[in-house]
Amino acid sequence: MAQVDGEQRSSTQVQRMNNLEYLMWLLEADPLLTSQFANLTMLDSVPDIDRLRARLDRAAQIVPRLHQWVEEAPARIAAPCWRPDADFHIDHHFRVTELPAEYRRPGGLERFACALDQEPLHRDRPLWEFVLITGLDGDRAAMVQRMDHTVTDGEGGLRMSMAFIDLERDAPDPPPVDRATGSSGGGLPLGNLLETIGHSTRKRWNWTVSGIGEVVDHVRHPTRLVQTGAEVIDVAGSLARQARSVDRRLSPLWTERSQDRSLATTQFPLQRVIDASRSAGVTVNDLFTTAVVEAAVNLHIDAGTVPTEFRAAVPISTRDGASGGNLFSPTLTILPASPDLSPEERLHAVAEVMNRAKSERSVAAMGSLAAGARLMPTTVLTKVGKWVTSNIDLVLSNLRAAPFDTFMGGALVEANYPIGPLTGAAVNVTTMSYRGKMDIGVHTDSAAVDNAKDFTDGILAAFEALTS
């Protein structure tokens, strides 16, 4: 038995989407608002395909959401639930392709990965696909790992990967899995971590109903101080500050939106960022955020515009040990973009803003906000969602992977470049720390940002300035 929201439940009980997952699911009715994300993994060689395929098949039996599809409730009487796919076959989720000739030029692999990421996942199957790409220079390979955000968040995806990665090139085969129970004869190295996937996504109906009225009232009247105690007043004030974050577009340059995407990747030594952050008395995430903002400011100036502020969406993790599902709260904040600030001044200004964002009471209230939003008709919800997200300049996320070597099918994982979802925003910059490097993926709306590579070069230059 597992403890969930103060009550006991059986592992055989139906698992439903949590409020945030359901909101993302409904918003995906508009292709511009898709929350699908991906990762471009670089491998030092072509892996043993049969071995990798077997490992992924095994992982899909261990990790519940990798073998489950989404069943919607009629008339939205409840959130969609996760059902085992009786027709699950690994070949529906793993395929091998050679890099097409038209992509065999500098930046071509990133463009191909971006094109793969834009392919919609089949909603009548488990919502993920891994594509192994061969034909790279030096007999190397790459893999694009695509997943719908309703399955898990970025951190949960990293924990899921523990079910199929190895810690040595010639690792022995793991014990077989009982497909009826999803358990391993030799015991799972993840223990209860993987058993509890999805448990925290269940919300009691009475909690949802009681929260909707209060939250919707705050949305309609975000500055009203309801006389229900200091806690409600704090949340109302926080929501008022969040509401200010979407009242208008801030970037004078990134004003257009489309479904055309670009991807650029780069790396930077993690230890340099750690040392510089400690010296400045800020966090690694503060310095990462500042480097992105500094690059964006310079990009605007080069285009003949003068920014003052950028609107950023930052996921704040609420994860406390569970490995799957979406355990984060999205929050919006305004980042200082005045060209008059030096990199050091901007760093401390960003650190102050980010500390305030982490403490916002509305972060904890986002689940209730999602519960209220799901009662709207889909057409209204997507219209509101598009208005909100199109006013976001930057989506920023900082993930941590293994600090040591990992392997897939006998091939060394050299780098992991995230392809974070835009969901209507102009730019998503996500970094993943792996093997002592910050692997950075810059995913852009091509209508808003002319050249993702220029942006990426600017981020590197900003890191150099901030860590020198």
Side-chain angles (χ1 to χ4, degrees):
M1 300 289 283
Q3 184 77 23
V4 181
D5 288 339
E7 65 180 2
Q8 296 288 329
R9 59 169 248 146
S10 161
S11 61
T12 61
Q13 204 165 354
V14 172
Q15 292 183 3
R16 296 192 179 275
M17 288 185 180
N18 66 25
N19 293 323
L20 181 59
E21 290 165 350
Y22 193 15
L23 177 61
M24 291 188 290
W25 178 261
L26 292 173
L27 287 175
E28 288 183 352
D30 187 322
L32 187 68
L33 301 179
T34 179
S35 60
Q36 183 176 304
F37 68 95
N39 192 73
L40 175 60
T41 297
M42 303 302 302
L43 303 169
D44 74 337
S45 60
V46 177
D48 183 323
I49 293 174
D50 290 338
R51 178 178 167 191
L52 178 58
R53 180 180 178 277
R55 289 300 302 273
L56 291 174
D57 190 27
R58 180 180 185 275
Q61 307 309 316
I62 294 174
V63 181
R65 289 199 182 176
L66 296 185
H67 64 252
Q68 294 172 338
W69 64 284
V70 176
E71 180 182 68
E72 295 190 84
R76 292 198 199 171
I77 59 174
C81 65
W82 300 94
R83 298 288 190 191
D85 182 6
D87 298 320
F88 177 86
H89 198 287
I90 190 60
D91 290 343
H92 293 155
H93 304 276
F94 175 62
R95 59 187 169 106
V96 182
T97 186
E98 190 172 4
L99 184 67
E102 63 267 30
Y103 291 101
R104 296 186 181 182
R105 56 184 186 273
L109 177 61
E110 287 85 352
R111 284 191 287 275
F112 185 54
C114 207
L116 287 174
D117 179 50
Q118 288 184 269
E119 295 179 6
L121 293 163
H122 294 282
R123 282 197 162 195
D124 58 348
R125 295 175 182 167
L127 297 167
W128 65 281
E129 182 189 47
F130 285 11
V131 183
L132 181 66
I133 304 169
T134 63
L136 275 58
D137 292 342
D139 294 325
R140 294 163 66 244
M143 187 156 67
V144 173
Q145 301 149 285
R146 308 194 300 132
M147 190 169 291
D148 194 89
H149 219 316
T150 57
V151 175
T152 189
D153 55 29
E155 187 176 344
L158 286 172
R159 293 171 184 245
M160 281 184 175
S161 70
M162 295 168 66
F164 60 83
I165 62 172
D166 294 316
L167 302 184
E168 53 187 282
R169 194 180 293 273
D170 298 317
D173 291 334
V177 172
D178 183 342
R179 290 181 179 266
T181 64
S183 61
S184 168
L188 280 176
L190 305 185
N192 292 335
L193 185 66
L194 289 175
E195 282 184 20
T196 59
I197 281 181
H199 284 188
S200 59
T201 66
R202 185 168 179 257
K203 301 295 183 183
R204 293 188 298 274
W205 176 250
N206 59 349
W207 176 89
T208 301
V209 172
S210 64
I212 287 172
E214 175 183 310
V215 172
V216 170
D217 184 69
H218 290 320
V219 173
R220 289 175 178 165
H221 310 286
T223 59
R224 179 192 301 172
L225 300 183
V226 184
Q227 301 301 315
T228 54
E231 182 175 346
V232 173
I233 292 173
D234 287 346
V235 174
S238 179
L239 289 172
R241 290 186 289 275
Q242 292 273 305
R244 174 182 174 269
S245 298
V246 290
D247 60 353
R248 58 189 173 84
R249 292 187 177 180
L250 296 181
S251 167
L253 180 63
W254 297 337
T255 57
E256 301 298 321
R257 296 292 186 270
S258 70
Q259 293 185 48
D260 293 330
R261 303 287 181 261
S262 295
L263 174 69
T265 61
T266 192
Q267 291 179 318
F268 196 81
L270 176 60
Q271 193 59 51
R272 285 183 59 181
V273 178
I274 293 174
D275 292 343
S277 301
R278 288 174 176 168
S279 178
V282 300
T283 68
V284 167
N285 191 61
D286 293 334
L287 198 143
F288 159 67
T289 301
T290 304
V292 175
V293 173
E294 191 75 11
V297 170
N298 291 330
L299 209 64
H300 279 65
I301 293 173
D302 290 344
T305 62
V306 181
T308 56
E309 294 176 319
F310 292 133
R311 181 175 294 105
V314 182
I316 295 180
S317 177
T318 59
R319 191 172 298 277
D320 59 1
S323 63
N326 285 273
L327 299 175
F328 74 97
S329 289
T331 189
L332 295 174
T333 191
I334 305 297
L335 298 175
S338 170
D340 297 332
L341 293 174
S342 69
E344 293 75 18
E345 290 171 333
R346 195 181 316 281
L347 174 61
H348 289 285
V350 165
E352 182 179 348
V353 170
M354 296 303 291
N355 281 333
R356 190 163 59 247
K358 293 173 188 175
S359 64
E360 286 284 17
R361 297 300 303 273
S362 60
V363 170
M366 288 303 288
S368 295
L369 285 172
R374 79 181 196 186
L375 298 180
M376 295 188 235
T378 301
T379 53
V380 175
L381 183 61
T382 55
K383 185 176 181 179
V384 172
K386 187 178 291 187
W387 175 75
V388 171
T389 59
S390 67
N391 285 337
I392 296 173
D393 302 309
L394 297 164
V395 181
L396 302 173
S397 190
N398 183 359
L399 303 172
R400 289 181 295 175
F404 43 77
D405 290 350
T406 60
F407 300 84
M408 291 184 184
L412 171 67
V413 175
E414 295 182 318
N416 287 294
Y417 298 111
I419 310 175
L422 291 177
T423 320
V427 182
N428 182 305
V429 183
T430 301
T431 180
M432 185 180 298
S433 301
Y434 171 64
R435 296 175 75 215
K437 296 284 184 68
M438 296 181 74
D439 297 340
I440 303 169
V442 179
H443 193 201
T444 65
D445 185 326
S446 301
V449 181
D450 288 338
N451 193 315
K453 181 64 166 60
D454 288 347
F455 195 177
T456 305
D457 291 343
I459 293 173
L460 277 185
F463 268 124
E464 289 287 349
L466 289 163
T467 61
S468 296

